[in-house]
Amino acid sequence: MSDASSGAIDSVLQEQRVFPPPMEFSKSAHVHSIDEYRQMYKESIENPEAFWGKMAEQLHWFKKWDRVLDWKPPFAKWFVGGKLNVSYNCLDLQIERGNGDKAAILWEGEPVGGMPGTGGAVHRISYQQLRDMVCRFANGLKSLGVKKGDRVTIYMPMVPEAAVAMLGCARIGAAHSVIFGGFSSQAIADRVEDAQSDIIITADGGFRRGQIVPLKQNVDDALTKTNRVRKVIVLERVGATPERPHKIQWVEGRDVWWHELVQKQSTECPAEPMDAEDTLFVLYTSGSTGKPKGILHTTGGFLLGVQSTSKYVFDLRPDDVYWCSADVGWITGHSYVVYGLLSNGATTLMYEGAPNFPDFSRFWSLIERHRVTIFYTAPTAIRAFMRAGREFVDRHDLRSLRLLGTVGEPINPEAWMWYRDVVGHGRCPIVDTWWQTETGMIMITPLPGATPTKPGTATLPFFGVDAAIVDRSGKEMAANQGGLLVIRKPWPAMLRGIFNDPDRYQKQYWSDVPNMYFTGDGARRDQDGYFWIMGRVDDVINVSGHRLGTMEIESALVAHPSVAEAAVVGMPHEMKGQGIAAFVTLDADKTPNEELKKELINWVGKQIGSLAKPDQIRFAEALPKTRSGKIMRRLLKELATNGQVAGDVTTLEDYSVLAKLRDKEES
Ligand code: WT7
């Protein structure tokens, strides 16, 4: 038997294992048993307004709401008439509760100064200090003319100032649009245009895997493609030293140093009372069209959604040190690095750099040195650590850990077991959390003191989440029958729309299945009601937990002067979950060669960002199309998954023949 097939059998056996929550954990957990969960879940579904109204009392409101929910499908308004401020909840409220001196943010930079294992520079920022930083920065924003309702773009490394920038916007009622630092200048320009944002906050650079990411330079390049931006705030993160000169361009009148902006500002900045339904942020994510869409999240419902899920899913206790390894440029960073944790008065650790810098022990060294108790990461990272070998983990004392979490993509049972045994020493419950940029909050997840877990399933819905597996007509599937994953009732942190494109919200999310929110995922429920996510069924692919639209990559490819047509599909990838395969036809006068392949891969990197670089480029004579001219993606997916890559790139693969055969079969 080959290794691969015995792996598959192991996987099936592992999926059938059940791990009850450890007794010690359940005793002091917020929810102690599966019966308690079921009771609370039942109440939350039968009377969502009573349930969420009670939950919302944990937040600070300048003015209490008149109505918990106003639901005119598919448009929801939560906490109608209520007024609150997210930054007030994350800072002032925590200080009032006596947590002023508690660490809000622990941060570690990537560069290591001394011996291996000693780590990088560390900052500890208390709630009081964070409040002062946020107020000064918010006043700085005001001094530049930023007003309530404006959109502010944030393109920063993983430094505390990224959180300060977000909270500073929230304090004065400006919406932020954070762009992941791995995106290219073209991607910045597109998002700035779409969000109609005239301010960008960035840094002179960031450290990643020992290199400097030229953030400021990317912004400068982006601003040659749009003239909407009038001010660029620049944090000095990298600086220049004699050994490492780091020059950036400076545009007088447009560019402002962060430290100069905040220098003379007061540490008092009143928190703007925001309507519960005012926009908190816009976050761009890939969909099934060529252009990323700005997902719109509002103030009250979002904050309640992330505050309550953080508390219950991570089972937060006052002395926890929580670390989520996601970048603030993704929704995970918004919800579960910044807002969910600070609104609970927790300590959130931020790490600037790569998991394997200077080597694969960095994460474990961080956990050991900062006494991390809760660790939340992506399956793709776990697979990379597995491959690197357990010796990197074993060198460290990880006894501080009490809970482990995963997010972003389905986790294979082998990785789940490795995480549990090697990292958690079999002691820590694992929460496999399913959710999306659009859902804002965790939707399907175990509660660690209550839910028995099985490797590979996100288990059961969170309170108030009416998740189901249905067919196209909305009819619920029987146990273990695959179908579409939908949500049938509104939830507080749900997206309120797509920025700049009001019509698309309904069409995109509430039309595939009548009157239900369609997630884009396929899944099944097992005999215990547990949800097993099978992955996207639309034209979205998930590469290392990062979401990309196939159309977006196709648009980037056809923008290249040599490319005539392109079709992009996902294919299974051992480490990344999914890889990217691009089928390309060239203009008649162009000939395929290795060099052009490389050029196209780098081209996509420049158009979108390195994360979108295809793993495979296959030159084709013609793309397989149906008689009506539609590219047969399923056929290409099959080819990318099972077909061989032609060793000789000068031989063009001709799929039009296959298409004709398939066309006949199907008609
Ligand atoms: C898509 C959403 C949610 C933050 C990170 C991703 C996939 C997410 C899981 C999980 C299986 C998962 C889904 C979903 N996904 N979590 N625990 N198990 N799949 O957010 O970029 O909006 O992507 O990620 O396919 O639709 P996103």
Side-chain angles (χ1 to χ4, degrees):
M1 190 186 287
S2 76
D3 279 339
S5 61
S6 68
I9 288 169
D10 285 350
S11 183
V12 169
L13 292 176
Q14 277 162 355
E15 280 181 6
Q16 291 163 358
R17 296 182 67 176
V18 180
F19 295 92
M23 199 111 74
E24 272 309 301
F25 198 101
S26 299
K27 260 196 277 177
S28 56
H30 292 300
V31 180
H32 305 84
S33 68
I34 193 72
D35 293 339
E36 192 182 345
Y37 156 79
R38 289 200 192 281
Q39 183 56 34
M40 284 176 80
Y41 180 75
K42 189 163 170 273
E43 285 167 24
S44 73
I45 293 292
E46 282 171 1
N47 196 346
E49 299 196 36
F51 182 87
W52 288 114
K54 186 146 178 284
M55 286 272 169
E57 284 167 16
Q58 308 211 12
L59 303 180
H60 169 273
W61 297 84
F62 291 119
K63 177 178 171 287
K64 207 180 157 179
W65 58 89
D66 306 316
R67 265 188 82 180
V68 172
L69 174 63
D70 172 9
W71 176 228
K72 296 196 180 69
F75 303 100
K77 287 187 184 145
W78 285 88
F79 304 103
V80 182
K83 299 243 182 239
L84 76 167
N85 182 285
V86 167
S87 132
Y88 190 96
N89 271 279
C90 290
L91 303 166
D92 308 56
L93 178 64
Q94 307 310 326
I95 297 166
E96 287 162 23
R97 287 178 177 166
N99 284 330
D101 294 330
K102 182 175 175 178
I105 297 179
L106 287 174
W107 172 83
E108 182 167 316
E110 189 190 75
V112 279
M115 308 281 289
T118 54
V122 172
H123 286 177
R124 177 193 188 276
I125 301 171
S126 71
Y127 273 92
Q128 184 61 53
Q129 289 167 328
L130 187 60
R131 181 185 179 279
D132 291 352
M133 289 170 79
V134 168
C135 285
R136 293 173 75 175
F137 186 74
N139 283 326
L141 284 176
K142 278 189 188 167
S143 76
L144 296 178
V146 179
K147 297 180 310 301
K148 179 173 173 175
D150 289 354
R151 266 93 37 214
V152 174
T153 299
I154 299 177
Y155 182 69
M156 305 247 323
M158 272 297 278
V159 290
E161 286 82 356
V164 172
M166 292 162 74
L167 291 160
C169 290
R171 192 138 193 114
I172 63 173
H176 54 70
S177 162
V178 185
I179 303 176
F180 170 57
F183 280 119
S184 69
S185 59
Q186 184 61 52
I188 303 171
D190 294 345
R191 285 159 175 75
V192 160
E193 272 301 320
D194 189 82
Q196 299 148 34
S197 165
D198 63 358
I199 301 256
I200 300 189
I201 308 166
T202 188
D204 59 348
F207 291 100
R208 178 91 193 168
R209 210 160 283 134
Q211 306 287 314
I212 292 173
V213 186
L215 298 167
K216 172 65 162 70
Q217 191 187 315
N218 292 347
V219 168
D220 289 335
D221 292 348
L223 299 193
T224 63
K225 304 178 217 285
T226 162
N227 48 21
R228 195 176 283 278
V229 173
R230 55 182 186 88
K231 290 286 174 200
V232 178
I233 302 171
V234 187
L235 177 80
E236 186 172 28
R237 160 63 189 123
V238 171
T241 62
E243 312 81 68
R244 197 197 54 232
H246 177 62
K247 280 221 177 68
I248 55 167
Q249 281 175 39
W250 199 257
V251 178
E252 278 313 323
R254 186 197 74 182
D255 298 351
V256 186
W257 282 114
W258 176 299
H259 54 270
E260 288 176 8
L261 178 69
V262 300
Q263 207 166 35
K264 290 196 202 77
Q265 301 297 340
S266 150
T267 54
E268 283 309 316
C269 176
E272 186 71 31
M274 302 296 286
D275 193 280
E277 282 298 328
D278 279 340
T279 303
L280 178 63
F281 65 87
V282 175
L283 181 60
Y284 285 84
T285 189
S286 300
S288 44
T289 64
K291 217 179 84 178
K293 40 191 189 206
I295 303 300
L296 200 86
H297 281 288
T298 58
T299 301
F302 175 81
L303 187 65
L304 180 62
V306 299
Q307 186 270 336
S308 56
T309 45
S310 298
K311 174 177 164 184
Y312 287 104
V313 175
F314 301 123
D315 198 54
L316 289 176
R317 297 182 202 168
D319 48 2
D320 273 318
V321 176
Y322 164 98
W323 180 28
C324 165
S325 66
D327 192 282
V328 287
W330 308 109
I331 189 71
T332 310
H334 286 58
S335 302
Y336 300 112
V337 173
V338 180
Y339 292 124
L341 282 296
L342 298 179
S343 58
N344 275 293
T347 298
T348 179
L349 174 72
M350 289 172 84
Y351 165 56
E352 177 182 35
N356 57 349
F357 187 86
D359 65 26
F360 270 105
S361 58
R362 187 59 182 270
F363 270 24
W364 320 119
S365 153
L366 270 148
I367 291 172
E368 177 176 11
R369 283 178 295 102
H370 297 282
R371 313 300 300 148
V372 170
T373 58
I374 303 168
F375 180 49
Y376 190 36
T377 196
T380 193
I382 299 169
R383 288 192 294 267
F385 290 125
M386 259 173 94
R387 175 185 272 186
R390 67 174 292 161
E391 54 278 15
F392 290 104
V393 190
D394 290 341
R395 252 180 250 156
H396 297 277
D397 177 357
L398 304 183
R399 278 174 301 181
S400 57
L401 286 173
R402 60 182 200 91
L403 176 61
L404 300 171
T406 73
V407 59
E409 45 177 328
I411 182 164
N412 45 314
E414 294 80 3
W416 195 98
M417 288 303 296
W418 189 90
Y419 199 31
R420 181 179 187 278
D421 294 340
V422 177
V423 179
H425 293 274
R427 285 181 302 107
C428 307
I430 294 183
V431 288
D432 171 357
T433 62
W434 178 91
W435 57 296
Q436 309 178 295
T437 305
E438 290 89 343
T439 68
M441 63 188 242
I442 293 172
M443 301 290 277
I444 302 178
T445 177
L447 296 186
T451 315
T453 53
K454 307 178 201 179
T457 163
T459 75
L460 299 167
F462 188 73
F463 305 131
V465 174
D466 184 18
I469 310 294
V470 300
D471 66 14
R472 290 258 162 213
S473 73
K475 196 172 122 286
E476 212 162 337
M477 308 299 292
N480 287 313
Q481 297 284 304
L484 309 175
L485 175 60
V486 295
I487 316 289
R488 298 182 291 200
K489 281 197 175 71
W491 63 98
M494 67 193 272
L495 78 160
R496 299 299 195 267
I498 295 171
F499 190 80
N500 232 352
D501 198 351
D503 298 337
R504 200 163 146 207
Y505 165 71
Q506 182 152 15
K507 244 186 277 159
Q508 181 80 42
Y509 299 105
W510 295 86
S511 302
D512 287 287
V513 184
N515 300 317
M516 297 180 192
Y517 170 86
F518 175 43
T519 60
D521 280 348
R524 70 179 166 90
R525 277 187 103 157
D526 68 14
Q527 58 290 349
D528 300 322
Y530 280 23
F531 286 82
W532 295 78
I533 312 296
M534 292 169 342
R536 304 288 306 200
V537 296
D538 53 8
D539 294 327
V540 168
I541 50 183
N542 190 326
V543 181
S544 302
H546 297 149
R547 178 166 157 181
L548 290 161
T550 51
M551 292 261 286
E552 210 182 320
I553 306 171
E554 287 164 8
S555 309
L557 282 166
V558 296
H560 188 279
S562 303
V563 174
E565 262 191 318
V568 168
V569 293
M571 56 175 192
H573 190 287
E574 208 193 325
M575 299 303 288
K576 301 179 180 180
Q578 279 190 299
I580 305 169
F583 293 80
V584 171
T585 66
L586 297 173
D587 287 341
D589 57 334
K590 299 292 187 317
T591 38
N593 57 54
E594 270 309 319
E595 222 162 283
L596 182 57
K597 247 188 204 180
K598 278 193 204 122
E599 188 181 316
L600 291 179
I601 291 173
N602 287 328
W603 172 266
V604 174
K606 271 181 89 176
Q607 297 286 309
I608 303 172
S610 286
L611 71 173
K613 283 182 179 175
D615 298 279
Q616 252 189 47
I617 299 249
R618 298 173 71 156
F619 293 117
E621 186 94 55
L623 297 176
K625 287 184 188 155
T626 61
R627 270 171 294 184
S628 59
K630 271 181 81 174
I631 293 177
M632 300 169 99
R633 287 168 180 286
R634 211 178 317 154
L635 185 58
L636 292 177
K637 231 185 228 173
E638 273 171 39
L639 274 168
T641 306
N642 311 320
Q644 282 149 15
V645 185
D648 176 7
V649 287
T650 52
T651 332
L652 288 175
E653 301 172 77
D654 185 359
Y655 305 122
S656 50
V657 188
L658 290 173
K660 276 172 208 140
L661 287 174
R662 185 62 64 99
D663 227 16
K664 257 191 216 132
E665 259 170 46
E666 276 174 12
S667 60

